[in-house]
Amino acid sequence: MASLPTAGPSTRSASRMVRRFRRNFSAMLGLTLFVLLILLAVLGPLFTVDPLAQELVNKLKPPSAQHWLGTDQLGRDVWSRVVHGAAISLRVGFLVVALSALVGVVVGLLAGSLGGAVDNLLMRFTDIFFAFPSLILAMAIAAALGPNLNNTILAVAAVSWPVYARLVRAQALALREREFVEAAKALGSRTLRVLWRHILPNSLTPVLVQASFDMGGAILTAAGLSFVGFGAQPPTPEWGAMVSEARNYIDVAFWASVSPAVAIILTVLAFNLLGDALRDVLDPRGRD
Amino acid sequence: MATGYRLSLWVIDMFAYLIRRLFFVVFVVWGVTFATFFISQVVPADPALAALGDNAREDQIKEFRERNGLDKPAYVQYAVYMNKLLHGDLGQSLRTSRPVIDDLREFFPATIELSLAAFFVALLIGVPFGVIAALNQNRPPDVIVRILALLGGATPVFFLGILLLQVFHAQLGWFPGPGRLDPYALTPPRVTGFMTIDTLLAHDPRTFWDSLYHLVLPAVVLGSASAALLARMTRGAMLEVLSQDYIRTARAKGASNSAVILHHAAKNAALPVLTVLGGLLGGLLSGAVLTETIFSWPGIGRYVTTSASSLDFPAVMGVTLLAGLVYATINLAVDLLYAYIDPRIKYG
């Protein structure tokens, strides 16, 4: 049997998309920040000292040739801690998004393509998660599981997946009526095959855009949880925990709390800019 | 005759819609109790140890468990909890040993006061900035607003709080530090729990201004992310509306620029912006957790943080329930308002 084309409505060529992306200043800025961040996380540790090493005689020292971003209240090198924090935050963001997208996509696909009672049940379940402030729920989950970084990832993922379920369900509902899906069904494709070959690939665009925004959101939420003590625990060089630890010394050593905060801002900014750019390029309807 | 008939049909429609939505609110609240209860059951941590300390004796722990019903099987505990809940009893806090409902009554007004102030700040900054940006598309004011909005959406609430406190309180001394009142101010008798209203009721204008003054920084911190989102939404909605045919028609008919913006554009642009307001208020509740921690604000955000760290699940469940209820109610109100403003939308 000849396989049906899986391409959706878009006939715009990939090279035109790339051109459009490259002409967009904020897209390029986002991409540059993103690449720098990856480089920092991967190669950065080569240019650092032990982020946990304390040197109390050198505490709260301003930036210098030896300590590029100064030292904190325990005499630890802030630059080394910020650099090691990059890998931590990227890992948190990536795992949260991967977990929640996986759960959300499965729930949304099932609801949108099976319809009926299954759809109703799954979406009402999703609605419950939409119904209360995510940070409070994440905090309850993180507190219950015990405060550490892995549980923070689970807690944030547990409150992030419903968006994907709604997105994918809406896509699946719309795609179900399209000719190429009808044709596949008429040719005798089984439901699972239709889901996998036709509905899933065509639902991925909005998922990708959402995932980029959620990377930033997840990093912010996880940093907030760590800040109030439900995430990474000292002495882990996690950015939110670092701000929390150094906040009482802000008047004598602002670099110790401002540096990790700036790192958070730049990282979240990078993913938000990328999300905007991806939406502009991939999803013509959402463009402003 | 026909109009009256249609009106009564509309009322029936709306009523049925309201009933359905209220059912949904009840369902959501039940879901929240179930979810939080499930979490409290699967935890590896022990609330008795958290409340009594690691050095508690065996008999103390046993007594604590019996007193708080923790020795019974999970389904019995849930049944007891739900039965009490239906009678308006949220149980007793393991930490403060007071009824949770009393704790919520004490701390919630401070959170509402702060959230409303933050909401006001978000509207006051977000909407005008969004309109200004749209009217100056791609010119410097637009670029500035867009940069600010991007930064506002990327800055952690807790850092903004620390920064503003350091700059505007510690360094410049323009604004008071954490708390709701000056430490030497006379706390007014508690009537509503809203400091601004209680001071007015106590005929104490000086303390009233003091309480308002104390609200500014935390409200700006809590409202900033929402202001950024609102500015982006407003800008997008205005640009969309300004490109419509009826705006060109209005201009062609000679309507002044301000008339076009106020009468024709703003009204239609308000619609998409309205949809995010509900989510915004819910987001404020989340942000309140961090803002209250930094500003020592005695609200439910700080209450739930301390409760969660001492595994005080009746208290945490109380707060999540309350938050879920508030959130569902706000969303219902926004939906009704939306349908009221846009006659094309039917209840259903």
Side-chain angles (χ1 to χ4, degrees):
Chain A
M1 188 186 97
S3 80
L4 288 157
T6 52
S10 167
T11 49
R12 222 183 298 133
S13 67
S15 69
R16 259 178 75 183
M17 284 199 219
V18 171
R19 263 212 309 277
R20 171 183 230 114
F21 190 90
R22 279 174 51 184
R23 267 207 304 266
N24 187 336
F25 172 74
S26 51
M28 288 316 287
L29 180 65
L31 191 67
T32 312
L33 282 174
F34 176 70
V35 171
L36 284 179
L37 189 70
I38 300 278
L39 286 178
L40 193 70
V42 176
L43 301 177
L46 298 175
F47 304 95
T48 63
V49 295
D50 180 2
L52 301 183
Q54 302 182 7
E55 225 180 303
L56 284 168
V57 284
N58 270 330
K59 68 178 183 187
L60 302 171
K61 285 275 184 298
S64 62
Q66 199 194 350
H67 300 289
W68 295 352
L69 293 176
T71 61
D72 68 2
Q73 64 284 357
L74 295 175
R76 295 172 297 197
D77 183 49
V78 174
W79 158 255
S80 303
R81 291 175 65 73
V82 168
V83 167
H84 280 87
I88 295 180
S89 280
L90 280 180
R91 178 168 157 265
V92 167
F94 183 75
L95 284 179
V96 165
V97 168
L99 265 178
S100 47
L102 188 71
V103 174
V105 166
V106 169
V107 170
L109 271 183
L110 287 178
S113 43
L114 296 179
V118 179
D119 181 24
N120 222 331
L121 190 78
L122 286 176
M123 292 327 284
R124 292 298 82 76
F125 184 64
T126 310
D127 286 340
I128 291 178
F129 279 84
F130 266 114
F132 48 107
S134 51
L135 192 68
I136 294 180
L137 180 64
M139 208 161 79
I141 297 175
L145 296 174
N148 66 49
L149 210 55
N150 286 335
N151 290 340
T152 307
I153 293 169
L154 279 181
V156 182
V159 296
S160 310
W161 65 269
V163 181
Y164 296 95
R166 273 198 190 169
L167 261 180
V168 174
R169 173 180 177 268
Q171 286 284 314
L173 280 182
L175 288 167
R176 212 161 54 160
E177 313 297 328
R178 297 291 289 264
E179 285 93 352
F180 67 94
V181 173
E182 299 241 321
K185 277 196 206 142
L187 285 170
S189 287
R190 279 174 305 128
T191 312
L192 259 182
R193 191 184 150 79
V194 173
L195 273 181
W196 180 249
R197 291 269 301 163
H198 302 288
I199 301 210
L200 181 64
N202 286 295
S203 311
L204 286 183
T205 305
V207 168
L208 197 66
V209 172
Q210 183 67 37
S212 186
F213 287 120
D214 274 1
M215 280 289 289
I219 289 171
L220 269 184
T221 310
L225 280 177
S226 295
F227 180 80
V228 287
F230 292 101
Q233 299 297 311
T236 314
E238 197 274 345
W239 292 336
M242 284 171 70
V243 176
S244 171
E245 276 186 89
R247 63 172 288 207
N248 291 331
Y249 305 93
I250 192 169
D251 46 349
V252 287
F254 66 88
W255 49 87
S257 47
V258 170
S259 309
V262 169
I264 298 176
I265 295 173
L266 290 179
T267 307
V268 177
L269 199 61
F271 287 112
N272 286 353
L273 286 173
L274 275 185
D276 277 340
L278 280 176
R279 189 182 48 201
D280 284 356
V281 172
L282 297 173
D283 182 9
R285 282 160 307 169
R287 201 179 304 143
D288 55 18
Chain B
M1 177 64 214
T3 340
Y5 176 66
R6 221 181 300 155
L7 187 70
S8 58
L9 262 187
W10 184 80
V11 169
I12 291 171
D13 262 5
M14 196 182 85
F15 195 67
Y17 173 72
L18 256 180
I19 297 280
R20 238 179 337 184
R21 285 296 301 261
L22 287 177
F23 258 116
F24 179 65
V25 170
V26 173
F27 171 76
V28 161
V29 167
W30 169 79
V32 171
T33 66
F34 195 79
T36 35
F37 197 83
F38 178 75
I39 294 164
S40 74
Q41 285 302 313
V42 296
V43 294
D46 186 348
L49 278 185
L52 300 172
D54 284 340
N55 300 321
R57 290 193 314 274
E58 203 60 37
D59 58 310
Q60 283 176 316
I61 293 175
K62 194 157 167 269
E63 195 269 335
F64 181 88
R65 288 207 178 117
E66 272 168 21
R67 184 154 41 89
N68 291 294
L70 297 173
D71 53 335
K72 307 218 171 51
Y75 65 92
V76 177
Q77 286 188 43
Y78 186 64
V80 169
Y81 183 81
M82 285 309 281
N83 185 34
K84 280 188 181 165
L85 188 65
L86 290 176
H87 296 91
D89 180 359
L90 288 169
Q92 208 185 37
S93 159
L94 303 179
R95 184 171 55 93
T96 62
S97 300
R98 300 196 322 162
V100 170
I101 191 95
D102 289 353
D103 281 348
L104 293 184
R105 228 178 254 140
E106 182 177 337
F107 297 122
F108 197 39
T111 301
I112 305 179
E113 194 174 32
L114 175 58
S115 303
L116 286 180
F119 190 63
F120 191 65
V121 167
L123 283 178
L124 215 65
I125 298 175
V127 172
F129 274 48
V131 172
I132 290 170
L135 296 179
N136 295 288
Q137 194 184 3
N138 293 331
R139 286 199 293 270
D142 182 31
V143 175
I144 293 169
V145 168
R146 280 159 72 188
I147 291 175
L148 283 179
L150 273 170
L151 283 178
T155 308
V157 173
F158 56 86
F159 177 64
L160 190 65
I162 293 170
L163 192 71
L164 293 194
L165 263 181
Q166 180 61 25
V167 174
F168 292 105
H169 167 62
Q171 310 257 341
L172 298 171
W174 292 356
F175 286 96
R180 295 176 86 185
L181 282 182
D182 190 84
Y184 300 107
L186 198 65
T187 310
R190 187 190 170 90
V191 184
T192 58
F194 285 67
M195 204 50 93
T196 44
I197 297 178
D198 283 357
T199 48
L200 281 182
L201 289 176
H203 301 288
D204 187 351
R206 256 188 67 186
T207 321
F208 166 73
W209 287 114
D210 188 43
S211 67
L212 210 57
Y213 206 26
H214 273 82
L215 253 177
V216 176
L217 279 188
V220 168
V221 167
L222 182 53
S224 63
S226 306
L229 182 71
L230 258 182
R232 286 187 75 158
M233 288 295 302
T234 308
R235 175 180 178 273
M238 275 302 272
L239 284 180
E240 174 86 34
V241 169
L242 285 174
S243 68
Q244 299 288 319
D245 288 341
Y246 57 81
I247 296 292
R248 215 178 316 144
T249 309
R251 286 225 163 101
K253 284 191 341 195
S256 73
N257 203 27
S258 60
V260 169
I261 293 161
L262 284 176
H263 294 292
H264 299 276
K267 249 196 211 156
N268 287 294
L271 227 46
V273 174
L274 201 58
T275 47
V276 296
L277 288 190
L280 221 72
L281 268 167
L284 287 183
L285 274 175
S286 272
V289 171
L290 298 168
T291 313
E292 287 177 5
T293 306
I294 287 155
F295 286 92
S296 307
W297 200 262
I300 54 160
R302 219 166 57 131
Y303 175 68
V304 75
T305 313
T306 23
S307 302
S309 52
S310 53
L311 299 176
D312 184 353
F313 275 100
V316 174
M317 278 172 88
V319 174
T320 33
L321 261 182
L322 182 69
L325 204 61
V326 170
Y327 205 45
T329 315
I330 289 170
N331 275 328
L332 179 58
V334 169
D335 283 356
L336 290 178
L337 196 64
Y338 198 67
Y340 173 76
I341 291 182
D342 188 350
R344 284 169 307 183
I345 293 172
K346 274 189 63 183
Y347 298 102

